[in-house]
Amino acid sequence: MADKVVVPRSFKLLDELEQGEKGQGIPHPHAGFISFGLVDSSDMTLSAWNASIIGPQNTNLGDRIFSLSVITNETYPEKAPRVFFKNKMNMPCVNQTTGEVNVDSLANWNRHTCGIISTLCAIRNEMKISSKRPQPPDGEMY
């Protein structure tokens, strides 16, 4: 059995940047409801990202746009990115003081199959499950 090729961090991030800029690679049913890109296009470390998620349709979150920060520090992609909601969100995986998402509680991280897109899709899936929970008013921020 052949070993998996380890793609360097910068190559993986450049590929994710291209996908984010072109709106590619986001699977159904999330296509058109998730977007992301670099905070600063001159950031050569590719470590600070903004993301937007439109809430799951046909839920009480479906008409809301949620802003998130994604941090891909030096441990990425060996470890999941750090993700923070900017808008207040009542979900079991979100720290209610800081807005940080416990990404490890959403899925088993695997550098070969996971990335920013899969992380944002997992968050949106969790949003659908959590949509029945009472939510802060639209516009409240961390």
Side-chain angles (χ1 to χ4, degrees):
M1 182 163 107
D3 291 332
K4 289 192 176 188
V5 175
V6 176
V7 177
R9 175 183 187 276
S10 59
F11 288 11
K12 181 172 180 71
L13 287 168
L14 285 169
D15 182 51
E16 291 184 294
L17 175 60
E18 182 178 8
Q19 288 181 356
E21 287 177 337
K22 294 181 177 179
Q24 298 175 334
I26 299 173
H28 177 77
H30 306 292
F33 297 102
I34 293 174
S35 65
F36 66 99
L38 284 174
V39 170
D40 178 0
S41 61
S42 66
D43 175 11
M44 299 307 290
T45 65
L46 306 173
S47 58
W49 303 71
N50 284 323
S52 295
I53 298 177
I54 297 174
Q57 301 306 288
N58 302 315
T59 71
N60 64 339
L61 301 174
D63 62 346
R64 294 167 72 171
I65 299 174
F66 295 88
S67 298
L68 301 93
S69 295
V70 179
I71 308 298
T72 54
N73 61 24
E74 63 280 346
T75 63
Y76 183 83
E78 290 301 323
K79 294 186 177 176
R82 295 183 70 194
V83 181
F84 298 83
F85 271 94
K86 294 179 183 178
N87 307 73
K88 287 211 171 197
M89 167 57 79
N90 184 13
M91 292 170 50
C93 63
V94 176
N95 179 308
Q96 294 304 303
T97 304
T98 64
E100 184 166 11
V101 178
N102 179 355
V103 175
D104 294 331
S105 72
L106 300 175
N108 291 327
W109 182 259
N110 177 329
R111 77 165 285 143
H112 300 288
T113 59
C114 297
I116 294 171
I117 291 172
S118 63
T119 301
L120 295 173
C121 289
I123 291 169
R124 190 164 185 270
N125 284 336
E126 186 63 29
M127 288 171 73
K128 185 169 187 171
I129 295 166
S130 297
S131 67
K132 292 178 176 51
R133 300 169 70 99
Q135 295 298 326
D138 195 11
E140 281 196 21
M141 307 298 274
Y142 285 103

